[in-house]
Amino acid sequence: MAYGKTAKILGDTTTYQLSSDVKKYALRDTGFMETKGGKFQLERSLDPASPFKGFKLKVVVAADLGSFKMVTTTANGLKEVNIFKGKDAAANQEQLEYILADLLARNIIEKV
């Protein structure tokens, strides 16, 4: 999971880029937490029933707001997964689309 100008979630066809209008306060308002190194990190559960089970969406924005990375991971955050396959694919996709729509509406990310 390397930083880049664009990111694509494993199994998805849409590519996203960091908005040129992104601001630090907008990241904080959206739920991003600032790390000791100055990066901004967002972790959201894709399981609507429990925030501790299932898959997670992780978005990390570099301290200079010039690059980012975005992946879906297992519940412990250690392995990248394709949420578009499996028994709960529809529920996971719906939750992912909801989170991404919020980031799009707040000018954090944009579709390429």
Side-chain angles (χ1 to χ4, degrees), residues 12 22 31-32 37 39 46 56 61 63 71 86 95:
D12 196 3
V22 69
F32 282 80
K39 299 175 189 171
L46 297 179
K56 289 184 180 181
V61 178
V71 296
Q95 191 68 13

mmCIF file of all heavy atoms in Angstrom, residues 12 22 31-32 37 39 46 56 61 63 71 86 95:
data_model
loop_
_atom_site.group_PDB
_atom_site.id
_atom_site.type_symbol
_atom_site.label_atom_id
_atom_site.label_comp_id
_atom_site.label_asym_id
_atom_site.label_seq_id
_atom_site.Cartn_x
_atom_site.Cartn_y
_atom_site.Cartn_z
ATOM 1 N N ASP A 12 -12.494 -2.936 -7.361
ATOM 2 C CA ASP A 12 -13.359 -1.851 -7.823
ATOM 3 C C ASP A 12 -12.858 -1.348 -9.178
ATOM 4 O O ASP A 12 -11.677 -1.463 -9.503
ATOM 5 C CB ASP A 12 -13.348 -0.710 -6.807
ATOM 6 C CG ASP A 12 -14.482 0.279 -7.003
ATOM 7 O OD1 ASP A 12 -15.322 0.065 -7.899
ATOM 8 O OD2 ASP A 12 -14.531 1.274 -6.256
ATOM 9 N N VAL A 22 -8.486 19.933 -0.856
ATOM 10 C CA VAL A 22 -8.518 19.323 0.469
ATOM 11 C C VAL A 22 -7.761 20.203 1.482
ATOM 12 O O VAL A 22 -6.720 20.766 1.177
ATOM 13 C CB VAL A 22 -7.950 17.887 0.435
ATOM 14 C CG1 VAL A 22 -6.464 17.857 0.178
ATOM 15 C CG2 VAL A 22 -8.269 17.160 1.710
ATOM 16 N N GLY A 31 -13.442 12.980 10.241
ATOM 17 C CA GLY A 31 -13.107 11.849 11.110
ATOM 18 C C GLY A 31 -11.692 11.358 10.988
ATOM 19 O O GLY A 31 -11.324 10.367 11.628
ATOM 20 N N PHE A 32 -10.879 12.001 10.175
ATOM 21 C CA PHE A 32 -9.474 11.621 10.072
ATOM 22 C C PHE A 32 -8.769 11.994 11.366
ATOM 23 O O PHE A 32 -9.017 13.053 11.944
ATOM 24 C CB PHE A 32 -8.793 12.352 8.911
ATOM 25 C CG PHE A 32 -9.092 11.782 7.553
ATOM 26 C CD1 PHE A 32 -10.273 12.085 6.901
ATOM 27 C CD2 PHE A 32 -8.191 10.952 6.920
ATOM 28 C CE1 PHE A 32 -10.553 11.575 5.651
ATOM 29 C CE2 PHE A 32 -8.454 10.431 5.667
ATOM 30 C CZ PHE A 32 -9.642 10.741 5.031
ATOM 31 N N GLY A 37 3.337 11.582 13.117
ATOM 32 C CA GLY A 37 4.128 11.994 11.964
ATOM 33 C C GLY A 37 3.462 13.057 11.106
ATOM 34 O O GLY A 37 4.017 13.501 10.115
ATOM 35 N N LYS A 39 0.570 12.627 9.429
ATOM 36 C CA LYS A 39 -0.338 12.039 8.441
ATOM 37 C C LYS A 39 -1.759 12.055 8.997
ATOM 38 O O LYS A 39 -1.975 12.151 10.204
ATOM 39 C CB LYS A 39 0.061 10.588 8.154
ATOM 40 C CG LYS A 39 1.441 10.433 7.589
ATOM 41 C CD LYS A 39 1.785 8.973 7.466
ATOM 42 C CE LYS A 39 3.240 8.808 7.100
ATOM 43 N NZ LYS A 39 3.668 7.412 7.171
ATOM 44 N N LEU A 46 -16.735 -1.664 7.542
ATOM 45 C CA LEU A 46 -17.674 -1.894 6.452
ATOM 46 C C LEU A 46 -18.796 -2.840 6.870
ATOM 47 O O LEU A 46 -19.631 -3.214 6.061
ATOM 48 C CB LEU A 46 -16.948 -2.445 5.227
ATOM 49 C CG LEU A 46 -15.912 -1.503 4.622
ATOM 50 C CD1 LEU A 46 -15.228 -2.166 3.435
ATOM 51 C CD2 LEU A 46 -16.530 -0.185 4.226
ATOM 52 N N LYS A 56 -12.553 -3.382 6.872
ATOM 53 C CA LYS A 56 -12.398 -1.949 7.140
ATOM 54 C C LYS A 56 -11.918 -1.229 5.893
ATOM 55 O O LYS A 56 -11.199 -1.802 5.075
ATOM 56 C CB LYS A 56 -11.343 -1.697 8.221
ATOM 57 C CG LYS A 56 -11.735 -2.088 9.598
ATOM 58 C CD LYS A 56 -10.632 -1.694 10.564
ATOM 59 C CE LYS A 56 -10.995 -2.088 11.975
ATOM 60 N NZ LYS A 56 -9.942 -1.692 12.916
ATOM 61 N N VAL A 61 -3.739 10.007 4.364
ATOM 62 C CA VAL A 61 -3.317 11.154 3.567
ATOM 63 C C VAL A 61 -1.965 11.620 4.112
ATOM 64 O O VAL A 61 -1.802 11.760 5.321
ATOM 65 C CB VAL A 61 -4.355 12.300 3.640
ATOM 66 C CG1 VAL A 61 -3.889 13.499 2.841
ATOM 67 C CG2 VAL A 61 -5.715 11.822 3.158
ATOM 68 N N ALA A 63 1.224 13.986 5.111
ATOM 69 C CA ALA A 63 1.233 15.234 5.886
ATOM 70 C C ALA A 63 1.191 16.470 4.996
ATOM 71 O O ALA A 63 0.607 17.488 5.371
ATOM 72 C CB ALA A 63 2.457 15.264 6.789
ATOM 73 N N VAL A 71 -7.312 1.543 0.983
ATOM 74 C CA VAL A 71 -7.464 0.094 0.832
ATOM 75 C C VAL A 71 -8.594 -0.411 1.713
ATOM 76 O O VAL A 71 -8.988 0.239 2.674
ATOM 77 C CB VAL A 71 -6.176 -0.680 1.198
ATOM 78 C CG1 VAL A 71 -5.035 -0.360 0.273
ATOM 79 C CG2 VAL A 71 -5.793 -0.450 2.629
ATOM 80 N N GLY A 86 -17.449 -12.716 -2.061
ATOM 81 C CA GLY A 86 -17.800 -13.284 -0.763
ATOM 82 C C GLY A 86 -19.281 -13.200 -0.463
ATOM 83 O O GLY A 86 -20.069 -12.627 -1.221
ATOM 84 N N GLN A 95 -21.960 -0.173 2.265
ATOM 85 C CA GLN A 95 -21.318 0.641 3.305
ATOM 86 C C GLN A 95 -20.127 1.405 2.726
ATOM 87 O O GLN A 95 -19.912 2.575 3.052
ATOM 88 C CB GLN A 95 -20.876 -0.258 4.461
ATOM 89 C CG GLN A 95 -20.436 0.476 5.682
ATOM 90 C CD GLN A 95 -21.578 1.203 6.389
ATOM 91 O OE1 GLN A 95 -22.750 0.990 6.110
ATOM 92 N NE2 GLN A 95 -21.227 2.081 7.286
#
